[in-house]
Amino acid sequence: MSELPPSYVLAGPSDAAADVHHRRSRLLFVGMFVVLAGLLALAWFLRADKTGDAASLRQGDCFKNTGTTEKPRPEKLSCTVPSADYSVVKVVKGGVSATLECSGVPGTIGAFSQVGSDSFVVCFGDNS
């Protein structure tokens, strides 16, 4: 009776080290999963359209600004709708500077631009 049955043998130092390593591995996996989920959520949020209908505006279209002067958010409307305050005079694909692209364009009272992979400038006037 000098030997204990296997179920009563105490864990040795190597088993404790393996257990700590296993816990660290699980913690690292959960941490990487949380970071990845956060990055995906951030990418989705940044990708969300914040420009309204700006990218779909064409010359002759009408819109109202549902944003601010600093951060316009045009909502495309029929030109016969009374709340359509502005009409698009010119659209410049690949344009960067609203001031340069729209200066001298007849009927222009304002402009806004979007800079990035699909850069454009919209010059607009009163919808009268």
Side-chain angles (χ1 to χ4, degrees):
M1 284 237 180
S2 63
E3 280 190 44
L4 294 172
S7 62
Y8 294 109
V9 175
L10 298 175
S14 62
D15 291 337
D19 189 42
V20 168
H21 177 71
H22 184 68
R23 284 184 195 163
R24 285 185 183 166
S25 295
R26 280 191 300 190
L27 185 59
L28 182 63
F29 176 75
V30 169
M32 288 181 8
F33 178 78
V34 168
V35 168
L36 180 61
L39 288 173
L40 288 174
L42 180 64
W44 179 83
F45 176 75
L46 293 177
R47 187 180 157 280
D49 180 24
K50 295 181 179 69
T51 60
D53 295 328
S56 68
L57 290 174
R58 304 288 176 256
Q59 186 173 352
D61 288 344
C62 293
F63 68 94
K64 72 175 181 176
N65 182 15
T66 60
T68 65
T69 305
E70 293 80 26
K71 293 184 180 183
R73 185 179 172 89
E75 180 182 328
K76 192 173 179 178
L77 298 169
S78 169
C79 292
T80 59
V81 174
S83 62
D85 299 319
Y86 308 105
S87 66
V88 177
V89 178
K90 181 180 178 182
V91 176
V92 181
K93 297 289 182 188
V96 179
S97 171
T99 305
L100 292 175
E101 299 291 350
C102 297
S103 65
V105 176
T108 298
I109 62 165
F112 59 87
S113 62
Q114 174 178 306
V115 179
S117 60
D118 296 324
S119 296
F120 62 86
V121 172
V122 175
C123 310
F124 60 88
D126 280 323
N127 180 28
S128 43

